[in-house]
Amino acid sequence: MLAAVTSIPYPSWLNSGDNTWQLTAATFVGLMSLPGLAVLYGGLVQRKWVVNTMLMIFSGFSAVLVVWVLWGYNLGFGPPVHLFNAGGTGWFANMWGAFHPITSHFGEQNQAVSGANTLIPFHFPTATLAYFQFVFAAITPLLFCGSILGRMKFKAWLLFVPLWTTFVYTINAKLLWGGGFLAMHGAVDYSGGYVIHMSAGVSGFVAAAIVGPRLLRDRRHGVPNNLLLVAVGAGILWLGWNGFNGGDPYYAGVDAASAVLNTNVATAVGLLTWMMMDWWFTKQKKPTFLGAINGMICGLVGITPSAGWVDGYGAILVGLICSVVVWVAWNYLSKVRPFSKVDDALGVIYTHGIAGFLGGMLVGLLADPGMIQYGVTGKNFNAIAGLNGFAVGGWFYTGSMHQLWEQFLAAVWVICWSAAITALILMVVKFVCRGLREPDEVLEIGDVAIHDEEVYPQETFAERVSAMASTGSDE
């Protein structure tokens, strides 16, 4: 008899479970942008800015994708280019990747290999890894879009996003995720507390300062136009974060499950903490929905750098600490220079910038070496490369300040680089677009003046025709 032969429609190195989870996680993260942020930010702004806000989100997402497949992915995750002919493991030898696309059949369908490779090989193609990393790259400028809503020229935004992605995001990603200098020296960022959130908060704050404030009337009467839409967007953001943190081990394993659970625990604690502080410590003495959403975001952002490296107790502390500190900053630091002089429309510097910094630093304190990311010892698991797996140890468990110090150095780099290059890019964009902000007469009108559309159009002509038809039918 002939031996039965089973044909497998994919290469031997591909694990269908890991590949499926990675694509699913990427889709969850993509949904956080579209429609998540579009709905969340669209509900928070004044009615006259809803269309502009949604189009900034959708167009920014599209612009990053084009950049990503043509050069962005390899800049952040490709082989290093050794700037200034630097060799070895130095800073300039591992700061940026190669400038070339991934659009060929080889670039998309071969086994994923990048500077961010783990202790074991990737079990999916480059297309999967590139798309997963793309949705992270895309959401970053969309987050700090919330700092500059209601005044930036749309064409300036379309030029700014590709430049920022190329010169800010890819370098931070390479240094921390793509096998760069900071990663080599021990700094870690599980899912983007530094690379995404702190960078977004700092860049948004700098952009808001340079572009200038909204109209005085808009600042004084910046009431959300639809809290129900805010709830929908916030819910998509929360549950989409399961893919954000759950996808970053790159394997559908135990650490992915831990990261998802810890993400939700920290978020719940963050939401309840902010709500209670509003209830106890504000003049109104009332719990507020918008306050609860801020607390939710603080929990989500705070746990992002450590989701798979802290245990459940650590997740509770992350949610609590980040929410308390950001609540104090929101209510008191906002009254102190320079924060009081910069119109950060949706407070991105607080809920993303400060929360991201705190979350990254808390890794150096709360990371539990018992939370193994890749491989653990025991009869049911195999040790990898002679190691007992990969984990991170914080000061509370190891008594060593080394990890905290590496986290601090990485934070200083991300803050300084993001701020300086954002300012430089905005100068270039200002020159090319002949200004960064719309004229005041356009800002008075909003969506109709910029896009010739409005979110809730008045269909007076249609109503008149309908009324005439009804009158005619009665005769």
Side-chain angles (χ1 to χ4, degrees), residues 51 90 93 121 164 168 230 259 285 340 344 352 371 396 399 409 420 456:
V51 173
W164 190 91
V168 177
V230 172
K285 302 291 184 183
S340 62
D344 184 345
H352 293 275
M371 296 292 293
F396 286 179
L409 293 178
Y456 306 117

Side-chain angles (χ1 to χ4, degrees), residues 1 52 136 163 166 179 192 226 283 315 333 371 386 421 439:
M1 292 179 63
N52 182 254
F136 281 75
L163 291 174
T166 300
N226 193 322
K283 293 181 180 180
L333 189 62
M371 296 292 293
I421 305 305

